[in-house]
Amino acid sequence: QAQLVESGGGLVQAGGSLRLSCAASGRTFSTYAMGWFRQAPGKEREFVAGITWYGDKTYTDSVKGRFTISRDNAKRTVNLQMSSLKPEDTAVYYCAAGPRLGYTMNEYDAWGQGTQVTVSS
C-alpha cells in the first residue's frame, strides 16, 4: 500500500498548461502501476492516464496528444503534464496506485486527496 500526496492544481486559461505531481511513500510504489483519474461536478470519476512500473503508458481518448504521464521511481513521484487545456478538463484530479494498470477505480488500492483543476474559457 502506498500513501499519495498531490500538488499542482490551480486555475488556468483555455489553451494553457498545468503540471500535476504526486509524491508517494511506501514500499509498493516502484512495482505498482500509477493512474490519474478525474471527477467533474455531478459526474462519475473517470480514468485519464496510467503508467506501469516499467513505463508503458495509456491515455483516455479525450486527452491523448495533450497530456503526458511520467514517473520517477527513484524520486517516488508521478506527474501529469497537461497542455492545450480545455474547459471540459475542469475537474478534481486524483492520483492512484495499484498492482496493475487498469481503467476502473477498484483496480487501485491507494489514492491521493485530489487537486482541483479549473480551466477558464
Side-chain angles (χ1 to χ4, degrees), residues 68-99:
T68 301
I69 188 171
S70 62
R71 68 188 296 165
D72 187 331
N73 290 344
K75 295 183 178 180
R76 305 177 69 82
T77 59
V78 61
N79 303 307
L80 185 68
Q81 178 66 49
M82 305 183 293
S83 300
S84 301
L85 284 163
K86 306 174 181 179
E88 49 263 47
D89 294 319
T90 296
V92 177
Y93 283 70
Y94 298 89
C95 177

Short mmCIF file of all heavy atoms in Angstrom, two decimals, residues 68-99:
data_model
loop_
_atom_site.label_atom_id
_atom_site.label_comp_id
_atom_site.label_asym_id
_atom_site.label_seq_id
_atom_site.Cartn_x
_atom_site.Cartn_y
_atom_site.Cartn_z
N THR A 68 0.62 14.16 -20.80
CA THR A 68 1.72 13.22 -20.73
C THR A 68 1.92 12.77 -19.29
O THR A 68 2.11 13.60 -18.41
CB THR A 68 3.03 13.83 -21.26
OG1 THR A 68 2.86 14.24 -22.62
CG2 THR A 68 4.16 12.80 -21.19
N ILE A 69 1.88 11.47 -19.07
CA ILE A 69 2.13 10.92 -17.75
C ILE A 69 3.57 10.43 -17.69
O ILE A 69 4.10 9.92 -18.67
CB ILE A 69 1.14 9.78 -17.40
CG1 ILE A 69 1.29 9.36 -15.94
CG2 ILE A 69 1.30 8.60 -18.35
CD1 ILE A 69 0.20 8.39 -15.47
N SER A 70 4.20 10.60 -16.55
CA SER A 70 5.57 10.13 -16.37
C SER A 70 5.78 9.75 -14.91
O SER A 70 4.99 10.13 -14.04
CB SER A 70 6.58 11.21 -16.80
OG SER A 70 6.44 12.37 -16.00
N ARG A 71 6.84 9.01 -14.66
CA ARG A 71 7.16 8.64 -13.28
C ARG A 71 8.66 8.59 -13.09
O ARG A 71 9.42 8.36 -14.03
CB ARG A 71 6.52 7.29 -12.91
CG ARG A 71 7.11 6.09 -13.64
CD ARG A 71 6.31 4.83 -13.36
NE ARG A 71 6.34 4.45 -11.96
CZ ARG A 71 5.50 3.58 -11.39
NH1 ARG A 71 4.55 3.01 -12.13
NH2 ARG A 71 5.61 3.28 -10.11
N ASP A 72 9.07 8.80 -11.87
CA ASP A 72 10.46 8.70 -11.47
C ASP A 72 10.48 7.84 -10.23
O ASP A 72 10.18 8.30 -9.13
CB ASP A 72 11.06 10.08 -11.20
CG ASP A 72 12.56 10.03 -10.94
OD1 ASP A 72 13.06 9.00 -10.44
OD2 ASP A 72 13.24 11.04 -11.23
N ASN A 73 10.82 6.57 -10.41
CA ASN A 73 10.77 5.63 -9.29
C ASN A 73 11.79 5.97 -8.20
O ASN A 73 11.54 5.73 -7.02
CB ASN A 73 10.98 4.21 -9.79
CG ASN A 73 9.80 3.70 -10.59
OD1 ASN A 73 8.71 4.27 -10.55
ND2 ASN A 73 10.00 2.61 -11.33
N ALA A 74 12.94 6.51 -8.61
CA ALA A 74 13.95 6.88 -7.63
C ALA A 74 13.46 8.01 -6.73
O ALA A 74 13.72 8.02 -5.52
CB ALA A 74 15.25 7.28 -8.32
N LYS A 75 12.75 8.98 -7.32
CA LYS A 75 12.21 10.10 -6.55
C LYS A 75 10.82 9.81 -6.00
O LYS A 75 10.26 10.64 -5.28
CB LYS A 75 12.18 11.36 -7.41
CG LYS A 75 13.55 11.85 -7.83
CD LYS A 75 13.46 13.14 -8.61
CE LYS A 75 14.84 13.66 -8.98
NZ LYS A 75 14.77 14.92 -9.76
N ARG A 76 10.25 8.69 -6.37
CA ARG A 76 8.95 8.25 -5.89
C ARG A 76 7.86 9.27 -6.23
O ARG A 76 7.06 9.68 -5.38
CB ARG A 76 8.99 7.99 -4.38
CG ARG A 76 10.08 7.00 -3.98
CD ARG A 76 10.16 6.79 -2.48
NE ARG A 76 9.00 6.09 -1.95
CZ ARG A 76 8.86 4.77 -1.99
NH1 ARG A 76 9.79 4.00 -2.52
NH2 ARG A 76 7.77 4.22 -1.47
N THR A 77 7.86 9.69 -7.49
CA THR A 77 6.88 10.66 -7.95
C THR A 77 6.27 10.22 -9.28
O THR A 77 6.90 9.51 -10.06
CB THR A 77 7.49 12.06 -8.13
OG1 THR A 77 8.56 12.00 -9.08
CG2 THR A 77 8.01 12.60 -6.81
N VAL A 78 5.06 10.66 -9.52
CA VAL A 78 4.40 10.51 -10.81
C VAL A 78 3.81 11.86 -11.18
O VAL A 78 3.32 12.58 -10.31
CB VAL A 78 3.33 9.40 -10.78
CG1 VAL A 78 2.23 9.72 -9.78
CG2 VAL A 78 2.75 9.17 -12.17
N ASN A 79 3.90 12.21 -12.45
CA ASN A 79 3.47 13.52 -12.91
C ASN A 79 2.48 13.42 -14.05
O ASN A 79 2.44 12.42 -14.78
CB ASN A 79 4.68 14.34 -13.37
CG ASN A 79 5.73 14.49 -12.29
OD1 ASN A 79 5.43 14.93 -11.18
ND2 ASN A 79 6.96 14.14 -12.61
N LEU A 80 1.68 14.45 -14.20
CA LEU A 80 0.79 14.57 -15.33
C LEU A 80 0.96 15.96 -15.91
O LEU A 80 0.52 16.95 -15.32
CB LEU A 80 -0.67 14.34 -14.93
CG LEU A 80 -1.68 14.33 -16.07
CD1 LEU A 80 -1.45 13.10 -16.96
CD2 LEU A 80 -3.11 14.34 -15.55
N GLN A 81 1.62 16.04 -17.06
CA GLN A 81 1.80 17.30 -17.76
C GLN A 81 0.61 17.51 -18.68
O GLN A 81 0.38 16.70 -19.58
CB GLN A 81 3.10 17.30 -18.56
CG GLN A 81 3.35 18.56 -19.37
CD GLN A 81 3.56 19.77 -18.50
OE1 GLN A 81 4.36 19.73 -17.56
NE2 GLN A 81 2.85 20.85 -18.78
N MET A 82 -0.13 18.58 -18.47
CA MET A 82 -1.34 18.86 -19.22
C MET A 82 -1.13 20.10 -20.08
O MET A 82 -0.77 21.16 -19.56
CB MET A 82 -2.53 19.05 -18.29
CG MET A 82 -2.76 17.89 -17.34
SD MET A 82 -4.23 18.10 -16.29
CE MET A 82 -3.69 19.49 -15.28
N SER A 83 -1.37 19.97 -21.37
CA SER A 83 -1.22 21.07 -22.31
C SER A 83 -2.49 21.24 -23.12
O SER A 83 -3.35 20.35 -23.15
CB SER A 83 -0.03 20.82 -23.24
OG SER A 83 1.18 20.68 -22.53
N SER A 84 -2.61 22.38 -23.78
CA SER A 84 -3.79 22.69 -24.59
C SER A 84 -5.08 22.42 -23.82
O SER A 84 -6.01 21.79 -24.32
CB SER A 84 -3.77 21.89 -25.90
OG SER A 84 -2.61 22.19 -26.65
N LEU A 85 -5.12 22.91 -22.61
CA LEU A 85 -6.24 22.62 -21.72
C LEU A 85 -7.54 23.23 -22.23
O LEU A 85 -7.55 24.32 -22.80
CB LEU A 85 -5.94 23.11 -20.32
CG LEU A 85 -4.97 22.22 -19.54
CD1 LEU A 85 -4.39 22.97 -18.35
CD2 LEU A 85 -5.68 20.96 -19.07
N LYS A 86 -8.62 22.51 -21.98
CA LYS A 86 -9.96 22.91 -22.39
C LYS A 86 -10.85 23.06 -21.16
O LYS A 86 -10.60 22.42 -20.14
CB LYS A 86 -10.56 21.87 -23.33
CG LYS A 86 -9.71 21.54 -24.54
CD LYS A 86 -10.33 20.38 -25.32
CE LYS A 86 -9.48 20.03 -26.52
NZ LYS A 86 -10.06 18.89 -27.28
N PRO A 87 -11.90 23.88 -21.25
CA PRO A 87 -12.81 24.00 -20.11
C PRO A 87 -13.37 22.65 -19.64
O PRO A 87 -13.59 22.47 -18.44
CB PRO A 87 -13.92 24.91 -20.65
CG PRO A 87 -13.23 25.76 -21.65
CD PRO A 87 -12.23 24.84 -22.31
N GLU A 88 -13.57 21.72 -20.55
CA GLU A 88 -14.09 20.41 -20.18
C GLU A 88 -13.09 19.56 -19.41
O GLU A 88 -13.43 18.48 -18.93
CB GLU A 88 -14.60 19.65 -21.41
CG GLU A 88 -13.63 19.64 -22.57
CD GLU A 88 -13.92 20.71 -23.60
OE1 GLU A 88 -14.14 21.87 -23.21
OE2 GLU A 88 -13.93 20.38 -24.81
N ASP A 89 -11.84 20.02 -19.30
CA ASP A 89 -10.86 19.34 -18.46
C ASP A 89 -11.02 19.71 -16.98
O ASP A 89 -10.36 19.12 -16.13
CB ASP A 89 -9.43 19.69 -18.89
CG ASP A 89 -9.09 19.14 -20.27
OD1 ASP A 89 -9.48 17.99 -20.58
OD2 ASP A 89 -8.43 19.87 -21.04
N THR A 90 -11.86 20.67 -16.70
CA THR A 90 -12.09 21.11 -15.33
C THR A 90 -12.63 19.95 -14.49
O THR A 90 -13.64 19.34 -14.83
CB THR A 90 -13.07 22.29 -15.28
OG1 THR A 90 -12.48 23.42 -15.94
CG2 THR A 90 -13.40 22.67 -13.85
N ALA A 91 -11.94 19.65 -13.40
CA ALA A 91 -12.32 18.53 -12.54
C ALA A 91 -11.37 18.48 -11.35
O ALA A 91 -10.35 19.17 -11.33
CB ALA A 91 -12.26 17.21 -13.31
N VAL A 92 -11.70 17.64 -10.40
CA VAL A 92 -10.76 17.27 -9.36
C VAL A 92 -9.96 16.09 -9.88
O VAL A 92 -10.53 15.08 -10.31
CB VAL A 92 -11.46 16.90 -8.04
CG1 VAL A 92 -10.45 16.44 -6.99
CG2 VAL A 92 -12.25 18.09 -7.51
N TYR A 93 -8.65 16.19 -9.85
CA TYR A 93 -7.77 15.15 -10.36
C TYR A 93 -7.18 14.36 -9.20
O TYR A 93 -6.69 14.93 -8.22
CB TYR A 93 -6.66 15.76 -11.21
CG TYR A 93 -7.12 16.18 -12.58
CD1 TYR A 93 -7.97 17.26 -12.75
CD2 TYR A 93 -6.73 15.46 -13.72
CE1 TYR A 93 -8.41 17.63 -14.01
CE2 TYR A 93 -7.16 15.83 -14.97
CZ TYR A 93 -8.00 16.91 -15.12
OH TYR A 93 -8.44 17.27 -16.38
N TYR A 94 -7.21 13.03 -9.34
CA TYR A 94 -6.74 12.13 -8.30
C TYR A 94 -5.61 11.25 -8.81
O TYR A 94 -5.69 10.71 -9.91
CB TYR A 94 -7.88 11.22 -7.82
CG TYR A 94 -9.04 11.93 -7.19
CD1 TYR A 94 -10.10 12.38 -7.97
CD2 TYR A 94 -9.09 12.15 -5.82
CE1 TYR A 94 -11.18 13.03 -7.39
CE2 TYR A 94 -10.17 12.79 -5.24
CZ TYR A 94 -11.21 13.23 -6.03
OH TYR A 94 -12.28 13.87 -5.46
N CYS A 95 -4.61 11.08 -8.00
CA CYS A 95 -3.53 10.14 -8.25
C CYS A 95 -3.86 8.82 -7.57
O CYS A 95 -4.40 8.80 -6.46
CB CYS A 95 -2.21 10.70 -7.72
SG CYS A 95 -0.78 9.63 -7.88
N ALA A 96 -3.56 7.70 -8.23
CA ALA A 96 -3.87 6.39 -7.69
C ALA A 96 -2.74 5.40 -7.96
O ALA A 96 -2.01 5.53 -8.94
CB ALA A 96 -5.18 5.85 -8.30
N ALA A 97 -2.62 4.42 -7.08
CA ALA A 97 -1.61 3.37 -7.22
C ALA A 97 -2.27 2.01 -7.08
O ALA A 97 -3.18 1.83 -6.26
CB ALA A 97 -0.51 3.53 -6.18
N GLY A 98 -1.81 1.04 -7.86
CA GLY A 98 -2.36 -0.30 -7.79
C GLY A 98 -1.41 -1.34 -8.35
O GLY A 98 -0.40 -1.00 -8.96
N PRO A 99 -1.72 -2.61 -8.14
CA PRO A 99 -0.83 -3.68 -8.57
C PRO A 99 -0.75 -3.86 -10.08
O PRO A 99 0.16 -4.52 -10.57
CB PRO A 99 -1.41 -4.92 -7.90
CG PRO A 99 -2.86 -4.59 -7.71
CD PRO A 99 -2.89 -3.12 -7.43
#
